[in-house]
Amino acid sequence: MADPRDPRPLIGEPLALDLLNTRWRGTPVNDLLTDLDGYRIWLASAGLAERCPADEASLRAVRTAREALGALVADGAQERPAAYAALNGVLAHGRLLHRLAAAGPERDVEVDEPEWLAAWLAADDYLDLLDQGAHRIKACAHPTCILHFFDTSQNGRRRWCSMAVCGNRAKAARHYEKASR
């Protein structure tokens, strides 16, 4: 459940995209991760507050992951070795451990240093999204919006981060343009 203090216009996307969406439109661009208070809000909204440390080192690590993810989703990041290397650098800080327990399969994340846990989880989530369909990772079609979403629509044709916000703005702009002719 999202933290009620979270000011972002789009909350609840998969973790990797939720991390990207800690920046949103504004002049200058709004950034939730400018300080520890904002980082704590993001951790709470992402359901990680009890699991991940909220200190300066963790904030730096999650900003590193956000930059890597941003480079990958920008224009599809086709064949960008530097973008791949940046994300792989985050992923190098952890691994997923599989084991069989009486209750069934268990998966645990092990990181080399605790401050990398949230960053690693977001990077790993991005790989999961790629497995589900890279074409479903989309930037909002509104020209001034910088938010991203995972398109779960049946036909894969979602265009807006939020129809209520960006979709309506586009529809209003088209209406105004037609009316002024």
Side-chain angles (χ1 to χ4, degrees), residues 135-136 138 149 151-159:
H135 64 285
R136 295 207 177 250
K138 297 181 178 179
F149 60 91
D151 184 356
T152 58
S153 67
Q154 189 172 15
N155 63 8
R157 296 179 67 188
R158 180 176 163 194
R159 297 181 56 205

Side-chain angles (χ1 to χ4, degrees), residues 48-114:
L48 298 174
E50 300 298 319
R51 190 172 174 193
C52 299
D55 53 28
E56 289 292 340
S58 301
L59 177 57
R60 281 191 302 277
V62 88
R63 283 183 190 148
T64 298
R66 182 177 68 179
E67 293 306 314
L69 291 167
L72 286 166
V73 300
D75 303 320
Q78 306 288 327
E79 302 290 323
R80 289 192 184 168
Y84 296 161
L87 189 71
N88 286 333
V90 174
L91 290 167
H93 287 280
R95 63 187 178 145
L96 191 57
L97 302 171
H98 297 270
R99 73 175 139 262
L100 182 60
E106 291 180 350
R107 292 167 184 83
D108 291 316
V109 175
E110 181 180 274
V111 289
D112 55 8
E113 296 180 42

